[in-house]
Amino acid sequence: MSGERPLELAERGLGLTEGEAQVTVIRERSLVSRFARSHPTQATRVDTSTVEVLCVRDGHTAAASTDRTDDEALVAAASRAAAAAQASAYSGPGSYPGLPGPAPARAHEGHDPVTARLDPTTAGRALEAAFAAAADGGLEAFGIWSAGAVETAIASSAGVRATDSVTDAFAKVICRDGEGRSGFASDTAVRAADIDVAAVARRAAERVPRGALGDVAPGEYPVVLEAEAVGVLLEFLAWLGFNGLAHAEGRGALSGRLGRRVAAPAVNLSDSPRFAHTLPRAFDAEGVPKAPLPLIQDGVAHRVVHDTSSAAVAGGAATSTGHALAAGGTSDGPVPTNLVLIGGGAADEHELAAPIERGLYVARLWYVNPVRERDALLTGMTRDGTYLIEDGRITRPVRDVRFTDGVLRLLEATEALGARQRLVSEGEFYGRRFATGVVCPPLRAGGFRVNA
Amino acid sequence: MLDLLTGLVAAAHGRCSYAEARHVVDRHERIEVRGGRVERVDAGTSEGIGVRVRAGGAWGFAATTDVSRGGAQAALERALALARALPDVPAASLAGIDAPARGHWSSPRERDPFAIGLEEKLAVLLEAEAGLRGDARIVRTQASCLSTATTTAFASSDGAAYTQEVTACGGGIQAWATAGGELQVRSYPSAHGGSVAQAGWEHLMGLELAAHAPRVAEEAVALLTAPPCPAGPTTLVLGSEQLALQVHESIGHALELDRILLGEASYAGTSWVGAADLGTLRYGSEHLDITADATTPGGLGTFGWDDEGVAANAHPLVARGVLRGALSDRESAAAAGLERSGGCARADGFARQPIVRMTNVSLQPGAAGSLDDLVADTGEGVFMETNRSWSIDDRRLGFQFATEVAYEIRGGELGRLLRNPSYAGVTPSFWASMDAVCSPAAWRLHGLLNCGKGEPGQVMRVSHGAPPARFRDVEIGVA
């Protein structure tokens, strides 16, 4: 890698474009160590730089990217994007209103220089800690330890000059006994030092069911959902409900429901990019500063999120709320990536379970997908720790169950929330590393629909 | 570049037990037309080198976009440092190879999609998308195409030194309709990105998107007021595309040997199949024949060599309902006591290491004739087609799917359109209930663009061939 800083590279690239354009530079350095059966299995170190040139012509956008940083490659990308945007005008004027102008972004504490060093010995020690904790319980450990550092720089013809540096660290441990019974725990943070891998592994080990697994018949159950399960549901609601493009097109789960009660009064959900424990971001993919945005307040749906493109589709007074996932927007639309669900008064999952005569405790959800998007109806499995709640206590382990239920219905049926919020992440950083997570507590809801 | 890679793995000699280096150039172009306008053109080229080493039993992998000799050497050093920093792993051998991979392989194509002018592509998509519009209840219309070209150079300390080039192209159309709180979608020729194959521009043109657009729009609107799919056990006929995804989820993933050996327990999950089940387990009815074939023409899982330098091959996974094989790489094959890898090590670009992936895992045709013949033979039941929703447990046993469209089958003919169809089952009993499979003329190959696995995440393109088939006593209307 050259010593050129990402913003310098972005500005050099912008200088090679003509007309309305944005150049985005993403420099990723990351380390992932996987393990299974208490042995290392894969270890991946990535050092990449990507330059994307977005050109705008007559309301049309086109992008071209390259991993090379020499002038020849940048000129080629710029020419390709400009030609594609120009050719797109063949269909008449486009709807993109133009690149947003500069606006000051607030600083955040989302970067840790020690984590950014990506010392492989840190990964080695993390794995040893996980293996030892699992062995103490006579169990095998499976999981990953990962850390990443991502620098993003944007330079645009509209005057944006923005740069952001973030780090993230993630550890996940599944402890498993000889019978295949498993328990799960994870932790995510800006600083790798804030993750106690031994503690994560011990938590996973404690969740491994002891004794035979019972069965649960299909039906509706009062449920206590751990934070990991709540986070997954809220991430889907981000796509299905708060997505400004889906909303503007009448496909969204909150279409016709803004300003109305969609959840229990105790539910307060926001997108809060600088909230404690979140993975902060200074700006979105178009350089629009991130700012807190209430989404559901006291159970009432307030608004959806926009990028520049979806705001144009929505029309009226809609403007970008700083949620572009790509310059010029994406086909799937914008989503909030710093969801925060405010906690309640219950001390822990045991206190949440106390009023339940017979119900379920769910540690984690798996392979969740929408069934009907407009209804925010999801299906998926429970995994790595499903228990019966009997007479107010979390008692016997049961086999994993399939649920098919609506996220908004579950939020409407929410009776209580835990006091302790956690940053939960699935750690699935597909493609370029863009670590996200949801800060949320566990909760208790009625009528969790188990259908197999 | 091959010389650079060969020199790099030679430099690793004596510092590790195995080394491999891959240089990959990935080129892509995605065009999307929406609502009568060109919505987006995305193009890009990624280029880099991935170096993987094995020190003792530990792997280290490092990827870089610095493709100079110095950049590659630095990646090798990082990979070695990574492997050495890990806790000790018992040394274990890799499955042997018959002969080092040498030479060049390229996928066939008639018209290079990157040589086609953008104006020509846009004209095709705009015409197709225009055919979707007209009814006020249609709220979103889309036509898209995808072109990719991947050039790989590979060298390993086992003597491999090959290059290969793969071109893929395809696309599709979609219409969303909404009214009265109902949202419905129809896609052609398939959901989730359309039909993409290892081919050139001729594949997209062969789809005849514009000709199908009016029907797609009409069905999306008709679904808004169609009666809901009934609930309960019934005879289910699955169309070729939905059956392809069923094969993917409940057979392909279940037979990945790394999952079977618990290597993927932390993320993708495990399998209901055990390593000792090979050769004996009854997976389904006698009509169930499944192959893994990395030589299938047009398949997105077709190549000359996999990303460990193992030559492409075809092998049975299930024969007459009995489990005969698994999908493996060199490490998992050795761990399971197999002499040779199944040639299923594939990596998503230069920045990911190869892991066990599907190639082209297909249901072989039977003798039930055409779809019309099968429906006529069925009498009463439901026909479902085009995937809308999918979910399966981490052992690949309990699944639930929803499709875009269904038709009731009455008196041996397709009857009323049904909305919001879904079905559920358990893998071995579901496949045991398959009592008829359509004939070779009804067999179609379907590309799947979004198979996720691995940490860091990898998205792989695979294909599955399947004809329509019939299943008895399946629970439908479950969602």
Side-chain angles (χ1 to χ4, degrees):
Chain A
M1 301 284 175
S2 72
E4 188 176 33
R5 292 175 180 277
L7 187 56
E8 294 169 343
L9 173 55
E11 288 181 318
R12 178 161 61 88
L14 185 65
L16 300 171
T17 65
E18 292 180 5
E20 190 173 4
Q22 175 180 318
V23 176
T24 306
V25 174
I26 298 175
R27 190 167 283 174
E28 172 192 329
R29 298 165 53 249
S30 64
L31 185 60
V32 178
S33 287
R34 301 187 81 189
F35 49 97
R37 307 201 70 176
S38 294
H39 289 300
T41 52
Q42 294 160 13
T44 300
R45 167 72 189 252
V46 172
D47 292 69
T48 58
S49 285
T50 302
V51 181
E52 183 188 82
V53 181
L54 178 85
C55 286
V56 185
R57 298 288 186 273
D58 199 16
H60 291 279
T61 60
S65 62
T66 176
D67 287 348
R68 284 170 48 192
T69 58
D70 55 277
D71 278 0
E72 182 186 357
L74 298 180
V75 167
S79 300
R80 188 174 179 81
Q86 192 64 50
S88 301
Y90 157 80
S91 62
S95 61
Y96 189 70
L99 290 165
R106 286 179 56 189
H108 60 69
E109 297 180 349
H111 183 265
D112 173 42
V114 177
T115 301
R117 286 183 204 144
L118 304 181
D119 180 359
T121 61
T122 308
R125 287 195 299 272
L127 268 56
E128 285 171 349
F131 300 164
D136 286 346
L139 304 165
E140 290 185 324
F142 304 74
I144 72 167
W145 181 93
S146 178
V150 178
E151 298 172 84
T152 304
I154 295 176
S156 81
S157 58
V160 171
R161 298 291 185 275
T163 182
D164 196 15
S165 295
V166 296
T167 57
D168 66 85
F170 176 71
K172 168 178 66 178
V173 180
I174 293 175
C175 285
R176 184 180 157 106
D177 69 11
E179 303 298 315
R181 291 170 294 215
S182 57
F184 166 92
S186 70
D187 204 357
T188 310
V190 166
R191 291 162 26 98
D194 286 345
I195 295 182
D196 181 345
V197 179
V200 172
R202 283 194 296 272
R203 204 162 72 237
E206 287 165 5
R207 286 177 169 173
V208 176
R210 308 287 192 261
L213 302 179
D215 288 308
V216 174
E220 295 185 2
Y221 294 86
V223 67
V224 172
L225 298 172
E226 265 299 348
E228 282 89 350
V230 174
V232 169
L233 296 175
L234 293 177
E235 282 188 338
F236 273 95
L237 187 59
W239 282 104
L240 302 174
F242 301 117
N243 175 338
L245 180 61
H247 189 81
E249 292 178 339
R251 297 180 293 114
L254 292 173
S255 292
R257 302 184 72 181
L258 292 185
R260 294 165 54 184
R261 199 168 81 79
V262 297
V267 172
N268 286 282
L269 182 68
S270 63
D271 190 56
S272 299
R274 283 180 291 278
F275 194 84
H277 306 302
T278 193
L279 295 168
R281 293 283 188 288
F283 49 80
D284 74 357
E286 294 179 318
V288 176
K290 289 281 189 182
L293 197 69
L295 299 171
I296 297 176
Q297 281 190 313
D298 301 330
V300 176
H302 269 262
R303 61 187 304 172
V304 297
V305 304
H306 282 298
D307 55 23
T308 303
S309 180
S310 71
V313 174
T319 57
S320 171
T321 54
H323 291 88
L325 297 177
T330 64
S331 174
D332 294 330
V335 293
T337 55
N338 294 94
L339 285 177
V340 174
L341 178 65
I342 299 301
D348 55 23
E349 66 270 25
H350 301 289
E351 192 170 318
L352 284 169
I356 296 176
E357 187 176 332
R358 181 176 168 80
L360 290 175
Y361 166 79
V362 174
R364 185 189 180 202
L365 301 175
W366 170 247
Y367 218 132
V368 179
N369 260 326
V371 177
R372 288 197 288 278
E373 296 86 348
R374 181 80 187 257
D375 302 327
L377 183 71
L378 306 177
T379 190
M381 297 293 299
T382 64
R383 180 176 172 180
D384 301 320
T386 309
Y387 286 80
L388 273 182
I389 297 171
E390 297 172 299
D391 298 326
R393 291 190 308 113
I394 299 170
T395 56
R396 295 174 290 158
V398 294
R399 283 182 227 288
D400 295 330
V401 297
R402 172 166 296 286
F403 74 95
T404 301
D405 209 341
V407 191
L408 289 170
R409 195 211 65 76
L410 277 164
L411 290 180
E412 197 169 6
T414 293
E415 298 167 352
L417 297 123
R420 183 168 171 264
Q421 295 164 291
R422 292 187 51 227
L423 172 61
V424 297
S425 170
E426 284 295 294
E428 299 172 35
F429 310 132
Y430 278 55
R432 299 284 168 193
R433 194 176 184 100
F434 185 78
T436 63
V438 177
V439 178
C440 60
L443 62 76
R444 183 179 73 238
F448 184 60
R449 291 172 181 163
V450 171
N451 63 324
Chain B
M1 181 52 70
L2 202 52
D3 289 343
L4 186 154
L5 301 181
T6 305
L8 189 70
V9 295
H13 182 70
R15 305 175 70 191
C16 56
S17 56
Y18 173 79
E20 66 186 26
R22 263 182 313 118
H23 171 259
V24 182
V25 180
D26 262 323
R27 190 174 175 194
H28 76 271
E29 179 188 71
R30 188 173 194 282
I31 306 171
E32 184 182 311
V33 169
R34 251 184 14 222
R37 288 194 287 239
V38 181
E39 185 62 30
R40 180 84 172 186
V41 180
D42 270 315
T45 303
S46 78
E47 178 182 5
I49 292 175
V51 182
R52 188 170 70 147
V53 300
R54 191 163 170 87
W59 290 106
F61 174 82
T64 179
T65 48
D66 182 351
V67 297
S68 67
R69 196 170 296 276
Q73 185 65 41
L76 171 63
E77 298 302 328
R78 284 196 290 270
L80 287 165
L82 205 47
R84 290 178 186 139
L86 295 171
D88 287 341
V89 190
S93 60
L94 302 174
I97 51 174
D98 293 324
R102 296 269 181 160
H104 177 78
W105 183 89
S106 62
S107 64
R109 63 166 195 246
E110 292 176 18
R111 296 184 72 191
D112 179 359
F114 291 98
I116 308 288
L118 191 56
E119 289 79 4
E120 182 179 342
K121 294 174 182 172
L122 291 176
V124 171
L125 296 179
L126 285 164
E127 182 191 5
E129 191 272 342
L132 297 169
R133 285 179 278 125
D135 191 301
R137 290 164 291 183
I138 301 278
V139 294
R140 180 176 164 120
T141 52
Q142 180 173 302
S144 63
C145 72
L146 174 71
S147 305
T148 66
T150 303
T151 303
T152 304
F154 176 90
S156 79
S157 56
D158 284 345
Y162 75 75
T163 55
Q164 62 185 4
E165 298 175 33
V166 172
T167 303
C169 185
I173 53 176
Q174 282 185 295
W176 286 261
T178 183
E182 190 73 36
L183 174 69
Q184 295 292 337
V185 61
R186 276 301 278 145
S187 310
Y188 169 82
S190 57
H192 314 310
S195 170
V196 177
Q198 212 173 74
W201 182 247
E202 69 279 1
H203 178 69
L204 186 119
M205 293 305 291
L207 298 174
E208 299 182 330
L209 299 179
H212 289 269
R215 173 188 59 79
V216 168
E218 285 168 16
E219 288 182 357
V221 171
L223 281 166
L224 293 172
T225 52
C229 178
T234 192
T235 297
L236 176 66
V237 174
L238 288 181
S240 171
E241 184 209 337
Q242 174 57 31
L243 192 47
L245 188 63
Q246 179 77 51
V247 169
H248 177 92
E249 300 290 4
S250 67
I251 296 181
H253 276 308
L255 297 185
E256 292 165 342
L257 196 50
D258 56 345
R259 294 180 68 118
I260 292 171
L261 298 173
L262 306 182
E264 281 287 334
S266 69
Y267 178 53
T270 62
S271 177
W272 69 281
V273 175
D277 292 333
L278 291 174
T280 58
L281 178 74
R282 176 152 286 282
Y283 209 103
S285 74
E286 61 179 7
H287 301 279
L288 183 63
D289 285 294
I290 300 285
T291 56
D293 185 353
T295 69
T296 305
L300 295 176
T302 296
F303 44 73
W305 301 273
D306 76 357
D307 287 324
E308 290 183 325
V310 176
N313 66 81
H315 59 277
L317 295 176
V318 179
R320 296 188 65 78
V322 177
L323 181 63
R324 295 297 182 199
L327 303 162
S328 62
D329 60 3
R330 296 182 66 187
E331 182 179 35
S332 61
L338 305 177
E339 286 188 9
R340 292 287 181 267
S341 161
C344 301
R346 303 179 70 191
D348 177 10
F350 71 90
R352 298 291 184 265
Q353 60 187 298
I355 56 177
V356 178
R357 303 303 301 237
M358 286 173 239
T359 53
N360 306 299
V361 175
S362 299
L363 171 65
Q364 295 307 300
S370 67
L371 174 60
D372 287 344
D373 294 334
L374 184 59
V375 168
D377 182 64
T378 298
E380 310 293 318
V382 169
F383 168 70
M384 295 188 191
E385 178 62 306
T386 314
N387 181 261
R388 185 173 179 182
S389 172
W390 68 103
S391 178
I392 189 166
D393 71 33
D394 59 311
R395 296 179 64 212
R396 301 281 151 176
L397 264 175
F399 57 80
Q400 180 172 307
F401 290 100
T403 60
E404 289 183 359
V405 68
Y407 290 90
E408 64 182 2
I409 300 173
R410 284 204 166 200
E413 294 183 342
L414 293 182
R416 294 183 305 166
L417 184 69
L418 303 171
R419 73 179 151 93
N420 298 332
S422 60
Y423 68 97
V426 177
T427 293
S429 56
F430 178 77
W431 289 109
S433 78
M434 184 175 72
D435 72 346
V437 181
C438 286
S439 301
W443 191 89
R444 299 285 182 275
L445 190 65
H446 301 275
L448 194 66
L449 303 173
N450 58 349
C451 177
K453 187 179 175 184
E455 295 169 303
Q458 302 196 36
V459 179
M460 188 52 63
R461 300 178 191 132
V462 302
S463 287
H464 304 285
R470 183 174 65 200
F471 301 82
R472 299 291 190 183
D473 296 318
V474 178
E475 287 291 334
I476 69 167
V478 294

